[in-house]
Amino acid sequence: MLALKLKKLAEKKVKKDPKLVESIINESKEIIAVGPDFIISETKHGFVCANAGIDESNVEEGLATPMPIDPDKSAKKIYESLKK
């Protein structure tokens, strides 16, 4: 039943692959708004952003990258690397 609802949401409201919509929902605490090419949600981290922060850029077509489990730790690691 949920899979059917996800597919309908993906097909009718959002022009995104149903698998990506499912990933966005799985990474979300709450869905705030749905547009033709985005889903605004509150992530499990408490961030409000488009598509639960899942990024489709800089990866092969059909793939996506979720937010890090610990975004602050990841940011600190990148910062320390750049500082060197």
Side-chain angles (χ1 to χ4, degrees):
M1 178 104 162
L2 179 59
L4 182 60
K5 286 182 182 180
L6 290 171
K7 185 175 181 182
K8 285 183 181 180
L9 176 67
E11 289 173 349
K12 292 185 179 184
K13 299 220 179 208
V14 182
K15 296 173 184 162
K16 292 194 174 292
D17 183 294
K19 291 178 185 177
L20 180 60
V21 173
E22 182 177 13
S23 295
I24 292 168
I25 290 169
N26 288 340
E27 292 296 316
S28 299
K29 193 184 312 182
E30 179 180 353
I31 301 299
I32 297 169
V34 177
D37 59 354
F38 63 86
I39 298 172
I40 302 295
S41 69
E42 179 182 353
T43 68
K44 294 175 182 178
H45 308 92
F47 303 130
V48 174
C49 54
N51 305 321
I54 295 175
D55 187 11
E56 295 176 88
S57 64
N58 301 315
V59 293
E60 290 180 39
E61 188 172 334
L63 298 179
T65 305
M67 288 183 87
I69 293 170
D70 186 345
D72 291 333
K73 183 178 179 181
S74 295
K76 186 175 181 179
K77 189 175 179 181
I78 292 168
Y79 170 77
E80 293 298 329
S81 175
L82 292 171
K83 205 164 94 171
K84 288 180 184 179

